[in-house]
Amino acid sequence: MMFIIGITAFSIVLTTALWVKRMRTINRVTSMMNVLYKLGLQRLVMARPKRAQEVTASNGFKVLLPSAMMLPTLEEVLKFRMRSDDIIVATYAKAGTTWVQEIVWLICHDADTQAAKAATLGKRYGFLETPDFADVTQGIQTLESWPKNKRRFMKTHLPFQLLPYELQNSPKGKMICVVRNPKDNCVSLYHFHRMWVGLPEPGTWSEFLTKFCTGQTTSGSWFDHVSKYWQVYQERKSSMYFVSYESLKKGLKGEVKKLATFLERNLTESQIDAIVRHCTFSSMSKNSSTNYTDVARTGAFEFKASKFMRKGEIGDWKNHFTINQSSAFDEMFEQRTKDWTLKFEFEPA
Ligand code: A3P
């Protein structure tokens, strides 16, 4: 009897080990995370990394990641197959991704705000550089198996050089880039580091600002990220669109209309108005499909430290930068962007 139990247990362990060994690394990560999540132990692997780690992707591009465990996912992204009707929202993190995701989704779904409220953004979009996680994040696996007859919506914070090779080599689908003035972008990223336990501690504001200015945050250099997308945009204007956080803030309706034109969607005036009403900061911060409160239950976001929908303003940098920090930043910004044709607004009005 003991012998049979022993053989059975051994066979189960061996079969499981072989099955796990044959799985793609990314699926192993998802399975492990989902098991830990079910047991309520996911915080074990979400424990704050001490510092970001520099890794080199197989195309030689160097990137800072919170964990080297993320590298296999980046390799999958490089090989990812695009579809001709894909929509991708690409940003440096905290530039206004969520805002534009909601606007774009509504434009493409006839301003159906009820449908938008019925499913979180995490269930309407796939996050390209992330493995699927629990019931909150649709990652690259979901994107791969997305029904062929349904348009794919995805977001990414990756530098252009880490996007799928197919997309790097030639336009595919439509890409919307969102940019934000770097002072406010940095402040928002600082608070995001305080709330997301998967990222290294930001340190003091002053320490974080130094990291941001030297490209040492996990999102990499803001300057390199934005300038590369802007450069590509010059050659791909029919498939790429650039919008700034500040222009959305100053004239949401006009920007929604321009986006609708870019996405080749004919919307009525009342549909545009419905999108504008739905996408104000006050509306989106109360909406559980857009304010990421669903992520709180996974333990990944600590809403006590900061909210995802935090302030939603232009110029909050003035509450963080000292006079000296601001003038040093301005000088560095002048230097690094002197050849740029892309301009930024730092003032609310
Ligand atoms: P703050 O931290 O400055 O408040 P992302 O979606 O790229 O992570 O960016 C998040 C930032 O966009 C946050 O900035 C958030 O408040 C802001 N945001 C999101 N939706 C917004 C909206 N409808 N109007 C204005 N700001 C919005």
Side-chain angles (χ1 to χ4, degrees):
M1 184 65 180
M2 287 304 283
F3 177 72
I4 293 174
I5 293 174
I7 289 283
T8 314
F10 178 72
S11 312
I12 292 173
V13 171
L14 187 68
T15 315
T16 311
L18 285 174
W19 176 67
V20 170
K21 189 160 182 278
R22 285 181 52 207
M23 277 167 100
R24 284 162 68 194
T25 311
I26 183 173
N27 289 342
R28 261 187 251 151
V29 172
T30 288
S31 306
M32 176 191 75
M33 288 299 291
N34 287 347
V35 169
L36 289 173
Y37 179 55
K38 288 214 170 85
L39 297 172
L41 298 173
Q42 70 278 13
R43 288 296 291 266
L44 289 178
V45 282
M46 283 179 192
R48 280 207 185 259
K50 285 231 163 11
R51 64 185 70 81
Q53 297 191 30
E54 189 179 78
V55 295
T56 308
S58 56
N59 64 354
F61 191 82
K62 288 191 188 337
V63 61
L64 278 177
L65 296 177
S67 153
M69 257 173 67
M70 290 170 72
L71 185 58
T73 317
L74 294 190
E75 294 299 330
E76 299 276 348
V77 172
L78 288 169
K79 292 180 286 181
F80 182 80
R81 303 301 308 267
M82 298 295 298
R83 298 182 190 168
S84 56
D85 63 344
D86 279 339
I87 293 216
I88 181 160
V89 177
T91 69
Y92 187 87
K94 311 316 286 179
T97 328
T98 312
W99 196 2
V100 171
Q101 280 181 268
E102 189 68 347
I103 296 170
V104 164
W105 193 90
L106 283 166
I107 289 174
C108 295
H109 291 85
D110 297 325
D112 189 346
T113 53
Q114 287 315 311
K117 280 188 185 149
T120 61
L121 269 175
K123 295 210 172 94
R124 287 177 279 139
Y125 274 76
F127 195 172
L128 187 60
E129 58 266 34
T130 309
D132 286 350
F133 171 51
D135 54 351
V136 290
T137 306
Q138 298 187 140
I140 186 166
Q141 298 107 315
T142 302
L143 285 170
E144 285 167 347
S145 58
W146 200 279
K148 289 266 186 306
N149 58 354
K150 247 181 104 195
R151 190 172 208 178
R152 278 192 309 198
F153 289 80
M154 50 187 129
K155 73 163 178 182
T156 182
H157 300 310
L158 288 174
F160 185 83
Q161 296 90 331
L162 288 176
L163 291 185
Y165 287 131
E166 268 190 3
L167 190 53
Q168 289 192 47
N169 294 338
S170 56
K172 217 52 196 286
K174 288 198 185 281
M175 180 186 284
I176 298 105
C177 300
V178 193
V179 289
R180 186 177 192 180
N181 85 58
K183 285 179 163 174
D184 281 328
N185 206 144
C186 176
V187 167
S188 185
L189 190 60
Y190 167 67
H191 290 290
F192 190 57
H193 270 252
R194 293 174 56 234
M195 76 174 291
W196 186 21
V197 299
L199 292 174
E201 288 282 358
T204 62
W205 157 247
S206 164
E207 286 163 349
F208 187 79
L209 178 59
T210 304
K211 283 190 219 157
F212 183 85
C213 293
T214 53
Q216 296 303 306
T217 64
T218 48
S219 308
S221 160
W222 178 90
F223 295 91
D224 295 346
H225 194 286
V226 172
S227 67
K228 180 68 186 172
Y229 275 98
W230 181 249
Q231 178 207 326
V232 177
Y233 168 65
Q234 303 312 312
E235 289 139 30
R236 296 194 184 180
K237 292 202 173 156
S238 59
S239 70
M240 266 176 96
Y241 190 82
F242 250 77
V243 62
S244 77
Y245 184 94
E246 291 76 24
S247 56
L248 288 164
K249 196 78 198 166
K250 291 181 182 179
L252 186 52
K253 186 166 177 178
E255 291 303 331
V256 171
K257 281 184 172 175
K258 284 195 237 163
L259 264 163
T261 306
F262 169 71
L263 292 165
E264 299 168 75
R265 303 287 299 179
N266 262 327
L267 298 186
T268 62
E269 202 64 18
S270 74
Q271 284 174 323
I272 299 277
D273 287 337
I275 295 176
V276 170
R277 273 196 307 277
H278 180 95
C279 290
T280 60
F281 181 77
S282 99
S283 161
M284 279 182 64
S285 49
K286 285 186 217 109
N287 177 353
S288 59
S289 288
T290 52
N291 65 15
Y292 281 95
T293 41
D294 61 319
V295 181
R297 80 185 126 86
T298 68
F301 286 171
E302 272 177 353
F303 276 83
K304 270 190 241 136
S306 179
K307 285 186 190 151
F308 190 94
M309 295 285 172
R310 198 182 55 88
K311 280 204 173 168
E313 285 171 4
I314 308 171
D316 188 36
W317 61 267
K318 293 182 184 180
N319 299 315
H320 294 74
F321 283 68
T322 63
I323 290 172
N324 285 345
Q325 285 171 343
S326 180
S327 51
F329 190 96
D330 292 346
E331 206 175 297
M332 187 260 309
F333 179 78
E334 273 311 306
Q335 264 300 316
R336 296 206 58 181
T337 62
K338 61 178 185 305
D339 300 325
W340 291 22
T341 48
L342 179 61
K343 301 291 171 208
F344 289 89
E345 292 177 74
F346 293 84
E347 302 293 331

